[in-house]
């Protein structure tokens, strides 16, 4: 009886040892960066344009940069930011525009290791409580309350490590007590062996418990990578590039109430909503605000007979078929349902994720508008007849792959 318990405990102990080892390993992987070196590199290369707090200097304050971007992106960015912008990376383009197209210089000579040290230094500074930041910077604190998400993670991790340690200590105490106790008793040879057994590494590595722990660990790592990746799909909401001419929807569609269709002529007729040509602007601006530098740009384009190089905001991948008239006419969906209140936007911003889930959700929920549409009369009758309630888009095939995919 005693022995059975003892064996169970040893097994438990092994598992805890392994868990503990893994936790420590995960932590030391982070601790490898050289923060002192990072600080030196940061002062030499970055401090002229960046602070480590929230405040922007020439470039953004770098506090919390680890929550905004992953390491691979940061390495690429620091080595050659203009290449990242040129690749069309939405975040980079938006940031570049936000900082008035100020070019961050490239650092092709910094090694990955150097950049990781710099990032380690930024993180360490960001994790410091606000009070120390004040004494270092000699300036009033910009934010008194925000602690940052990474601070939370550290608290949780430390808590886990402490708990594991406590469990470990308690268990080893129990084991040594039991062993001592048993050694005073008369035991069979086989039992003695079990009581006196030492921690045997090889048997640990072979044990199914160890394999299970490793398996679970890898599963979690892979699952995390997978989740991170899917979370990124379609995360373009908020994309609002600066356009070559500061055209304002708030002014034109809002204040002057020009109809969307006046400019986006095919939005009720065809697949695409088309961006207006220079001619449409000229209808009014050959008379209105002639001397404005912004309007001069329209004249320039008209003279050279070249289109204005508007930057595209919404963009579905090529494999998707989306038709405006199907939604604006047949579906009677307002522009605002998908684009937000454009008439109040100074600069157009993408408000919907344009992900597959977004399309499908709406197709599941939205009732087909059939009033006055002869085509649907028979369908509706059939649908009602079959005991259905309202007819949703999904009921007319709105979830079929081939409807949306070429
Ligand atoms: C000459 C000024 C300048 C220097 C020097 C500079 N940066 Fe930048 N950095 C910028 C600007 C400006 C931006 C904003 C994006 C843009 O306009 O290209 C930026 C953006 C960034 C971003 C993205 C910030 C965010 O909020 O997403 C990171 C990270 C960054 N810089 C890191 C560094 C590091 C690390 C160094 C030093 C090795 C450095 N920068 C040196 C000007 C600079
Ligand atoms: C006077 C002409 C004009 C009117 C009226 C107008 N737009 Fe636009 N719209 C433009 C121009 C020019 C662009 C491209 C520049 C930009 O993105 O700001 C544009 C861009 C857009 C875009 C983003 C296109 C992209 O690149 O993905 C949307 C969405 C849009 N308009 C919706 C609307 C809606 C909705 C209305 C009515 C409430 C409207 N527009 C009224 C001229 C107009
Ligand atoms: C239906 C008439 C109409 C059309 C079409 C039109 N605009 Fe305008 N636009 C106006 C009016 C009205 C104003 C406001 C003038 C004022 O503030 O006195 C204006 C103002 C502007 C301004 C601000 C100018 C400034 O310096 O304040 C810009 C830029 C502009 N429009 C660009 C465009 C572009 C680009 C197009 C074509 C896509 C366009 N507009 C099409 C009527 C129009
Ligand atoms: C059911 C959602 C939905 C509605 C309703 C909708 N749009 Fe769009 N709009 C989109 C999507 C999705 C795109 C991106 C299309 C692409 O990339 O092929 C888009 C793109 C655009 C563009 C960029 C040019 C293009 O066609 O790619 C303009 C301009 C635009 N919409 C204007 C409008 C206007 C004006 C209305 C209202 C009359 C409207 N949209 C209603 C979803 C919608
Ligand atoms: C705001 C709600 C809404 C969103 C978002 C939306 N749709 Fe729709 N969609 C509708 C409605 C309503 C209809 C039915 C139109 C009709 O009556 O024919 C429809 C119909 C369609 C159809 C025709 C289906 C058929 O069986 O005839 C296609 C294809 C389609 N949508 C593609 C898309 C794609 C692709 C997206 C995402 C990029 C999207 N829709 C986003 C509401 C939406
Ligand atoms: C209502 C429209 C709609 C329907 C129905 C639909 N999709 Fe999609 N699908 C989309 C849109 C929009 C995207 C692009 C999402 C993005 O860019 O994030 C997409 C993306 C995808 C992708 C990802 C491609 C990539 O580049 O990552 C796959 C795979 C896919 N769809 C498969 C399917 C299959 C299989 C079905 C049928 C079960 C289906 N889709 C039905 C709208 C639809």
């Amino acid at each position: 009886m005693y022995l059975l318990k003892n064996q169970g405990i040893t097994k438990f102990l092994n598992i805890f040892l392994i868990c503990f080892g893994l936790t420590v390993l995960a932590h030391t992987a982070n601790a490898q960066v050289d923060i002192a070196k990072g600080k030196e590199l940061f002062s030499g290369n970055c401090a002229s344009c960046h602070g480590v707090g929230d405040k922007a200097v020439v470039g953004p304050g770098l506090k919390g940069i680890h929550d905004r971007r992953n390491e691979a992106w940061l390495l690429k960015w620091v080595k050659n930011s203009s290449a990242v912008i040129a690749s069309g990376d939405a975040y980079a383009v938006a940031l570049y525009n936000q900082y008035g197209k100020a070019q961050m210089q490239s650092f092709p000579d910094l090694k990955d290791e150097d950049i990781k040290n710099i990032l380690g230094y930024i993180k360490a500074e960001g994790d410091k409580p606000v009070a120390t930041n004040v004494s270092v910077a000699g300036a009033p604190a910009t934010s008194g309350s925000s602690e940052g998400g990474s601070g939370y993670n550290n608290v949780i991790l430390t808590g886990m490590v402490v708990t594991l340690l406590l469990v470990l200590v308690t268990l080893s105490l129990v084991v040594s007590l039991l062993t001592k106790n048993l050694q005073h008793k008369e035991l069979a040879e086989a039992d003695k062996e079990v009581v006196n057994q030492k921690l045997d590494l090889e048997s640990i590595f072979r044990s199914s418990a160890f394999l299970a722990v490793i398996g679970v660990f890898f599963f979690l790592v892979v699952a995390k990578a997978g989740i991170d990746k899917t979370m990124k799909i379609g995360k373009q909401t908020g994309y609002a590039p600066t356009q070559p001419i500061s055209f304002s929807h708030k002014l034109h569609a809002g204040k002057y109430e020009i109809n969307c269709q006046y400019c986006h002529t095919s939005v009720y007729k065809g697949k695409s909503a088309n961006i207006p040509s220079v001619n449409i602007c000229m209808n009014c601006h050959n008379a209105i605000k002639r001397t404005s530098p912004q309007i001069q740009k329209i004249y320039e384009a008209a003279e050279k007979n070249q289109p204005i190089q508007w930057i595209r905001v919404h963009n579905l991948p090529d494999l998707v078929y989306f038709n405006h008239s199907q939604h604006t006419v047949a579906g009677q969906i307002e522009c605002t349902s998908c684009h937000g209140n454009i008439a109040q936007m100074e600069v157009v911003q993408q408000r919907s994720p344009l992900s597959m889930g977004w399309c499908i959700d709406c197709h599941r929920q939205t009732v087909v508008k059939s009033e006055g549409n002869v085509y649907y009369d028979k369908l509706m009758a059939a649908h009602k007849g079959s005991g259905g309630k309202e007819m949703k888009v999904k009921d007319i095939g709105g979830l079929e792959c081939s409807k949306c995919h070429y």
Side-chain angles (χ1 to χ4, degrees):
M1 195 48 206
Y2 261 127
L3 288 185
L4 267 181
K5 268 191 198 157
N6 191 4
Q7 231 173 347
I9 286 172
T10 325
K11 215 166 195 177
F12 249 118
L13 194 66
N14 290 350
I15 296 175
F16 271 109
L17 262 178
I18 291 156
C19 288
F20 180 65
L22 284 175
T23 322
V24 170
L25 215 89
H27 232 73
T28 43
N30 270 343
Q32 266 169 5
V33 297
D34 184 347
I35 292 185
K37 192 148 179 252
K39 181 175 182 180
E40 198 186 308
L41 285 166
F42 183 87
S43 328
N45 294 301
C46 325
S48 51
C49 299
H50 290 290
V52 290
D54 298 317
K55 271 230 189 78
V57 189
V58 178
L62 294 182
K63 184 176 181 178
I65 186 65
H66 295 80
D67 304 330
R68 296 199 286 270
R69 300 279 83 191
N70 65 31
E71 199 176 57
W73 188 93
L74 289 168
L75 292 179
K76 258 196 287 174
W77 172 265
V78 175
K79 280 187 194 155
N80 190 349
S81 67
S82 32
V84 178
I85 296 165
S87 77
D89 181 291
Y91 178 91
V93 173
L95 192 69
Y96 178 59
N97 288 322
Q98 190 190 338
Y99 281 85
K101 310 209 170 179
Q103 191 79 63
M104 169 166 148
Q105 79 197 71
S106 295
F107 295 93
D109 294 331
L110 287 181
K111 293 193 222 64
D112 283 8
E113 201 193 322
D114 296 331
I115 301 173
K116 280 181 193 165
N117 287 338
I118 297 177
L119 294 173
Y121 164 67
I122 295 170
K123 189 166 171 51
E125 285 298 306
D127 286 348
K128 278 189 187 164
V130 176
T132 45
N133 272 354
V134 173
S135 65
V136 168
T142 41
S143 71
S145 57
S146 70
E147 242 274 81
S150 61
Y152 250 143
N153 284 345
N154 277 344
V155 170
I156 294 173
L157 256 180
T158 321
M160 275 164 62
V161 170
V162 169
T163 321
L164 275 175
L165 265 176
L166 277 179
V167 171
L168 202 69
V169 169
T170 326
L171 281 174
S172 40
L173 272 180
V174 171
V175 169
S176 71
L177 268 181
L178 279 174
T179 320
K180 256 193 199 146
N181 212 354
L182 282 168
Q183 265 159 357
H184 294 308
K185 300 198 169 147
E186 287 289 309
L187 290 171
E189 216 28 56
D191 289 350
K192 259 196 184 142
E193 218 168 84
V194 177
V195 173
N196 292 326
Q197 75 176 297
K198 293 269 168 305
L199 201 64
D200 176 358
L201 273 182
E202 202 182 317
S203 75
I204 291 180
F205 286 134
R206 290 225 181 107
S207 75
S208 51
F210 178 75
L211 292 179
V213 169
I214 291 286
V216 168
F217 182 73
F218 274 104
F219 173 76
L220 287 179
V221 169
V222 171
K224 167 108 173 54
I227 288 170
D228 279 354
K229 200 157 179 208
T230 40
M231 294 297 270
K232 270 197 211 108
I233 292 180
K235 273 278 163 73
Q236 294 246 348
T237 23
Y239 179 47
T242 310
Q243 300 290 353
I245 297 179
S246 58
F247 173 83
S248 163
H249 277 83
K250 193 173 175 184
L251 185 71
H252 290 85
K255 186 168 175 209
Y256 290 101
E257 295 182 335
I258 306 171
N259 200 308
C260 311
Q261 197 188 358
Y262 182 90
C263 291
H264 302 292
T265 46
S266 58
V267 71
Y268 295 107
K269 290 180 218 144
K271 174 180 176 301
S272 148
N274 81 288
I275 300 297
S277 66
V278 180
N279 296 338
I280 294 188
C281 313
M282 286 299 277
N283 288 348
C284 297
H285 283 290
N286 58 14
I288 296 173
K289 277 250 165 177
R290 297 190 59 115
T291 52
S292 152
Q294 293 293 327
I295 303 302
Q296 292 289 328
K297 290 192 201 166
I298 302 179
Y299 296 163
E300 255 172 57
E303 266 162 34
K304 289 191 200 144
N305 213 355
Q306 270 172 357
I308 300 165
Q309 299 291 324
W310 302 112
I311 300 171
R312 191 163 178 154
V313 184
H314 302 76
N315 207 350
L316 285 169
D318 289 343
L319 53 95
V320 183
Y321 173 81
F322 176 83
N323 186 320
H324 265 95
S325 68
Q326 200 161 43
H327 290 86
T328 53
V329 181
Q332 295 174 38
I333 309 242
E334 300 291 336
C335 315
T336 46
S337 308
C338 299
H339 292 299
N341 196 349
I342 297 267
Q344 288 308 316
M345 292 182 197
E346 206 66 65
V347 179
V348 176
Q349 191 182 89
Q350 181 173 325
R351 285 291 165 83
S352 301
L354 307 195
S355 63
M356 180 157 139
W358 173 71
C359 313
I360 300 254
D361 275 352
C362 184
H363 286 186
R364 283 218 177 98
Q365 288 160 14
T366 310
V367 178
V368 174
K369 295 268 180 24
S370 54
E371 304 93 53
N373 189 334
V374 216
Y375 171 75
Y376 283 131
D377 283 351
K378 279 190 198 139
L379 251 177
M380 286 298 276
H383 196 75
K384 285 236 172 71
S386 71
K389 287 165 254 147
E390 291 162 318
M391 190 165 74
K392 304 271 175 71
V393 183
K394 69 178 165 63
D395 302 316
I396 59 165
L399 302 188
E400 283 167 25
C401 315
S402 59
K403 288 274 170 73
C404 302
H405 291 292
Y406 291 107

